[in-house]
Amino acid sequence: MFGKRITPPGTVTARTPATPAKPAAPRTADIAGGAAAKGPDIDHRLQDVRIAVFRDLIDSVDLTELGRLDPAAVREEISDIVSEIISMRDIVLSGAEQQLVITDICNDVLGLGPLEPLLARDDISDIMVNGAGKIYIETGGRIELTDIHFRDNAQLMNICQRIVSAVGRRVDETSPICDARLADGSRVNVIVPPLAIDGPTLTIRKFKKDRLTLDTLVGFGSISPQGARLLQVIGASRLNVIVSGGTGSGKTTLLNCLTRYIDPGERIVTCEDAAELQLQQPHVVRLETRPANLEGAGTVTMRDLVKNCLRMRPERIIVGEVRGPEAFDLLQAMNTGHDGSMGTVHANNPRECISRLENMIAMGGYALPSKAVREQISRSVQVIVQAARLRDGSRKITHVTEIVGIEGDVVTLQDLMVFDIEGEDAQGRILGRHVSTGLRPKFWDHAKYFGLERELAEALEVLP
């Protein structure tokens, strides 16, 4: 029966089907009688149906052939076959329940299973799966436990392997940690047993469908209109920028916003562990690191990428996340004609960002005096943009800080704009405003060279 449906040219080649047994796994009478019931019993019965129907589908169709068809056509084909299996098993379901079973099975075969509804919600920024039974989300800056769960750890492991294999990586007992990405650029981290004790752990940092801009950040209150204008000038003036912030503070989002003001004629090379930057310029070369293969060879590190991109005639180099000895190579690039290069660093304030850069350079084994390293930093980086996630869950740009130079052994910083916390409202939301310090930046002449001194004066409320 299933073979006839899927053998016509242009569709899927079916295996010789085994006639589905009469309802044995799912209790048909209970399902029929439980249609009017409420609570967990319905979920349990539908779960039995999903398992049995899914097994029949696997026995009847060669799922490897499905990848050759358009996703919409595959969903329609699977929906028809699942409907026939339900009919042959004499399972009585309401229209809504049958559609729910079909949707779940399609998601399981083609998508990310129970996570599909969460991926479709644009108000969710993070999805955290702690084993098959616990799925948390972050929405509105708060972490919440959902009532969604996987069938078992095997189903969750299959989803994890599907995600990482799509980008040419693997995750198993011999390689239990993996960074990957979804098709939309969302960042994915997977860690599986034996390292994850309670089952596979999957973390997804979602990208919004609509790309955020500085105007959007102004609407969110993350930056003031004057601050947004200052960042526009910084992005367009080919200044070397480090975006600093803690985990989940919005560093990558802010870096994406800054890159929007790069001239379309510039050649940009990006280096990332998992490609997630969304540059809109036409001339962009995207590079991505590679882990070791089964033999433990073939690793391509971030430092390898940064070194190589210097030979690719870049005008700007953008490192998605600086977290190791590649910091030294990026600073050298910034100081040797690649003006306007950018990167992100994990740090809680601009001063700590300087220390982090020093430490990462030391990780590379360079036996350089501290003063020499600090001089390199002060001559290479011009602006540090600090992002923070506040205690109410909101994300703010708290500092726009310029590196002025070095005095003795100390790198000199001056804040151009800061976020001044004034208190909180009755709902616990932090109240504050972005304040210009009124200082004239050292890069004033740099902005003047690009004809942006008037915009800079208006942003900082200083005389042109």
Side-chain angles (χ1 to χ4, degrees):
M1 177 177 183
F2 306 123
K4 289 181 180 179
R5 172 171 294 281
I6 52 180
T7 42
T11 56
V12 183
T13 303
R15 297 173 180 157
T16 303
T19 303
K22 289 296 180 181
R27 299 181 300 278
T28 307
D30 291 345
I31 294 169
K38 296 181 180 180
D41 289 341
I42 294 179
D43 290 339
H44 179 71
R45 295 184 182 106
L46 288 181
Q47 187 72 357
D48 286 342
V49 173
R50 293 187 191 103
I51 294 173
V53 173
F54 184 77
R55 287 171 180 167
D56 285 345
L57 179 68
I58 296 297
D59 290 338
S60 304
V61 181
D62 186 358
L63 295 180
T64 59
E65 297 289 335
L66 293 175
R68 302 179 183 179
L69 300 182
D70 178 81
V74 174
R75 269 186 193 272
E76 183 178 353
E77 194 71 40
I78 290 178
S79 297
D80 291 345
I81 298 172
V82 169
S83 297
E84 292 183 11
I85 294 174
I86 291 174
S87 176
M88 288 187 64
R89 279 185 167 271
D90 296 332
I91 300 173
V92 180
L93 297 175
S94 68
E97 288 172 340
Q98 179 165 328
Q99 187 57 47
L100 182 61
V101 170
I102 291 173
T103 300
D104 286 348
I105 291 177
C106 286
N107 288 340
D108 213 10
V109 174
L110 303 175
L112 301 186
L115 300 182
E116 285 293 322
L118 301 180
L119 292 170
R121 288 177 51 184
D122 208 33
D123 62 322
I124 295 176
S125 57
D126 288 88
I127 301 173
M128 296 150 279
V129 182
N130 302 347
K134 289 185 179 180
I135 299 179
Y136 290 85
I137 60 172
E138 181 186 321
T139 177
R142 304 288 183 179
I143 294 179
E144 302 174 3
L145 176 64
T146 70
D147 57 358
I148 299 172
H149 56 83
F150 285 86
R151 182 171 60 249
D152 50 33
N153 281 333
Q155 183 193 19
L156 173 55
M157 189 66 183
N158 287 337
I159 296 297
C160 293
Q161 290 174 337
R162 183 181 304 160
I163 292 172
V164 303
S165 63
V167 292
R169 302 189 178 187
R170 63 187 180 89
V171 60
D172 49 37
E173 288 188 1
T174 60
S175 180
I177 300 177
C178 184
D179 288 320
R181 67 180 187 277
L182 300 182
D184 65 354
S186 297
R187 182 192 308 172
V188 177
N189 176 265
V190 179
I191 181 167
V192 302
L195 301 188
I197 298 173
D198 299 321
T201 300
L202 172 66
T203 308
I204 300 176
R205 172 69 54 81
K206 279 186 58 187
F207 270 16
K208 290 185 177 294
K209 295 178 182 177
D210 299 326
R211 296 179 182 177
L212 297 182
T213 64
L214 287 178
D215 292 336
T216 312
L217 298 186
V218 171
F220 290 157
S222 299
I223 189 66
S224 66
Q226 290 81 6
R229 196 172 299 123
L230 172 60
L231 294 180
Q232 290 176 18
V233 172
I234 290 172
S237 298
R238 294 183 64 89
L239 299 178
N240 295 325
V241 179
I242 295 293
V243 177
S244 169
T247 300
S249 60
K251 299 185 298 298
T252 303
T253 297
L254 183 52
L255 186 59
N256 273 323
C257 292
L258 286 171
T259 59
R260 187 180 180 194
Y261 301 96
I262 296 176
D263 188 274
E266 296 183 34
R267 175 175 168 87
I268 307 165
V269 180
T270 67
C271 305
E272 301 174 80
D273 281 317
E276 53 185 329
L277 291 174
Q278 298 173 313
L279 274 66
Q280 302 175 30
Q281 286 73 16
H283 198 168
V284 178
V285 180
R286 305 170 72 205
L287 307 179
E288 188 176 58
T289 60
R290 186 179 69 183
N293 57 22
L294 286 170
E295 290 76 29
T299 303
V300 179
T301 66
M302 182 69 74
R303 190 170 183 195
D304 295 331
L305 294 184
V306 175
K307 282 183 175 180
N308 184 77
C309 74
L310 293 174
R311 305 182 183 98
M312 298 173 65
R313 204 265 179 205
E315 290 181 289
R316 296 205 197 207
I317 299 171
I318 299 179
V319 179
E321 188 170 340
V322 183
R323 49 175 137 183
E326 68 272 6
F328 184 72
D329 301 287
L330 178 61
L331 293 179
Q332 282 191 314
M334 288 178 168
N335 205 21
T336 54
H338 302 91
D339 298 336
S341 295
M342 302 179 184
T344 69
V345 169
H346 276 86
N348 295 322
N349 55 64
R351 177 61 64 185
E352 186 178 320
C353 177
I354 301 295
S355 299
R356 286 276 295 149
L357 288 172
E358 285 187 65
N359 293 337
M360 287 186 287
I361 291 173
M363 289 168 59
Y366 298 104
L368 298 174
S370 295
K371 184 173 182 180
V373 174
R374 291 170 187 167
E375 285 179 349
Q376 178 81 351
I377 294 172
S378 66
R379 292 171 183 171
S380 303
V381 182
Q382 292 165 286
V383 176
I384 298 173
V385 182
Q386 182 71 37
R389 179 179 172 183
L390 305 184
R391 65 176 183 271
D392 64 350
S394 64
R395 295 172 173 86
K396 305 286 186 184
I397 297 171
T398 59
H399 297 78
V400 179
T401 302
E402 181 182 30
I403 296 182
V404 179
I406 186 168
E407 293 182 5
D409 289 338
V410 180
V411 177
T412 308
L413 307 178
Q414 69 173 12
D415 293 331
L416 302 178
M417 184 169 288
V418 297
F419 180 69
D420 185 15
I421 297 178
E422 299 174 335
E424 60 181 56
D425 62 14
Q427 287 74 39
R429 291 176 298 200
I430 291 178
L431 302 176
R433 61 194 183 96
H434 289 88
V435 181
S436 171
T437 60
L439 296 175
R440 191 183 183 96
K442 181 182 177 182
F443 62 80
W444 181 276
D445 290 339
H446 208 88
K448 186 176 181 180
Y449 175 78
F450 288 90
L452 298 171
E453 71 276 12
R454 184 174 297 278
E455 288 85 347
L456 183 58
E458 292 175 356
L460 295 175
E461 299 175 352
V462 297
L463 294 175

